[in-house]
Every structure is written in structure tokens, then in C-alpha cells.
Amino acid sequence: MLALLDHGIRSKKDLEFLLEKIPRYSKPKRELEQYETPSHIVAHILWLSLLRGDVTGRTIVDLGCGMARFAIGALILGASRAYCIDVDPDITLFSATCVKNIYTSIYNRLIHLVCDIRDLEMAGVDTVFMNPPFGVYHGNRGIDMIFLKKALMMSNSVYTIHKYSPGVDKL
């Protein structure tokens, strides 16, 4: 809990406020379904994972990280290290630069990797966070399930967001 106090975190709202400092990426690629996960949703998921013991001292992976909100928040909450995985080198570089300039105290525990999720093999992961592409863009059908399978191969603790489709519960 010392890490929380180091960053002035006493509540989920404090975490949300710190995550709001992450700048928006101005050149999202539609074909990659890049969209920002709102800070209040990231803070809620991270706070829940913290209470469940899935953050403090853990190795975190943020799949399809974009601006690395989950990874940054997890490090602020006391994760030992975080890997940010994204297929887009542009957003990965932008994110790494932002972290270096804004969150200097966690920068040395954050590793950015440019990699297609289908080619990723990782071990030693405690917790996975992700808001993957939903597969709504032509050519991306089923990509969310590829992300989910990959996450479940890495860790038993997976926090993810998926698009609900009416009728899917009848399958």
C-alpha cells in the first residue's frame, strides 16, 4: 500500500484523476480499432483488481495497450513491472514518450513491445488487462477472441472488456 501513498492515491477517484493526465492519441488508426478507454472505466477495473490481490507486486501485461492506461495505473497501484503490447509502433512510441515525461517514477518498470498478438509468447505473467479491438472493422472479425485466448494462455487473472452482441447469449 506504500506505492498508493507515494502517488497520493487514497481512492479510486484519485487513481482516475492521475489517469486523466495521459494525453489523447491524435492519430488513431480505424483499421486497428484504436479507441481510448475512459479513465473512470480503467480506474474501476484496476481498483477491483487491486482489491482482489491481482496488482501489488505483480507482473502485468496490457494487451493492445494503446496509451497504456491499464499498465500505468497498475504500476501506480504497486505492480512490480508492466508490459505494454501493441501492434502499432506509432502509438507505442507516443505512449512511451508520454510516460517518460509525465510518470517518471514508474518509467523504468514499464516495457513497451511492438508485436502482433498472434505472434506473442509470454510466460511469468500474473495479471492481464485489455480492451481489445472488438472485431467490428472489416478484416478484424474474431480478433477479440484471439486476444482473449492469448490472455488466458498467459495468466489466470484476466480483466477484459468486450462488445456485447444481442443474440450471442443464445448460442
Side-chain angles (χ1 to χ4, degrees), residues 54-169:
D54 289 330
V55 174
T56 306
R58 305 294 181 140
T59 297
I60 304 300
V61 171
D62 185 346
L63 289 181
C65 66
M67 289 302 297
R69 288 174 177 267
F70 283 113
I72 292 166
L75 288 171
I76 288 170
L77 293 177
S80 61
R81 90 176 49 92
Y83 293 90
C84 301
I85 316 290
D86 205 291
V87 71
D88 181 6
D90 297 329
I91 199 168
T92 304
L93 178 61
F94 184 75
S95 173
T97 302
C98 291
V99 171
K100 186 176 184 180
N101 293 333
I102 299 170
Y103 299 99
T104 55
S105 66
I106 64 168
Y107 181 70
N108 65 341
R109 295 183 291 137
L110 188 65
I111 299 112
H112 282 81
L113 300 172
V114 176
C115 180
D116 187 308
I117 189 75
R118 293 168 278 233
D119 300 327
L120 182 65
E121 297 292 331
M122 287 189 81
V125 174
D126 296 308
T127 308
V128 175
F129 295 97
M130 62 182 184
N131 183 4
F134 295 149
V136 296
Y137 188 79
H138 181 71
N140 286 350
R141 294 277 188 245
I143 192 74
D144 56 335
M145 290 296 106
I146 293 170
F147 268 78
L148 185 57
K149 287 176 186 173
K150 192 61 79 161
L152 291 170
M153 289 171 58
M154 286 184 210
S155 176
N156 290 327
S157 296
V158 175
Y159 296 84
T160 185
I161 300 168
H162 289 268
K163 178 181 178 287
Y164 173 75
S165 298
V168 78
D169 53 342

Side-chain angles (χ1 to χ4, degrees), residues 36-47:
E36 180 180 311
T37 309
S39 295
H40 71 278
I41 292 174
V42 175
H44 180 77
I45 291 170
L46 286 169
W47 201 259

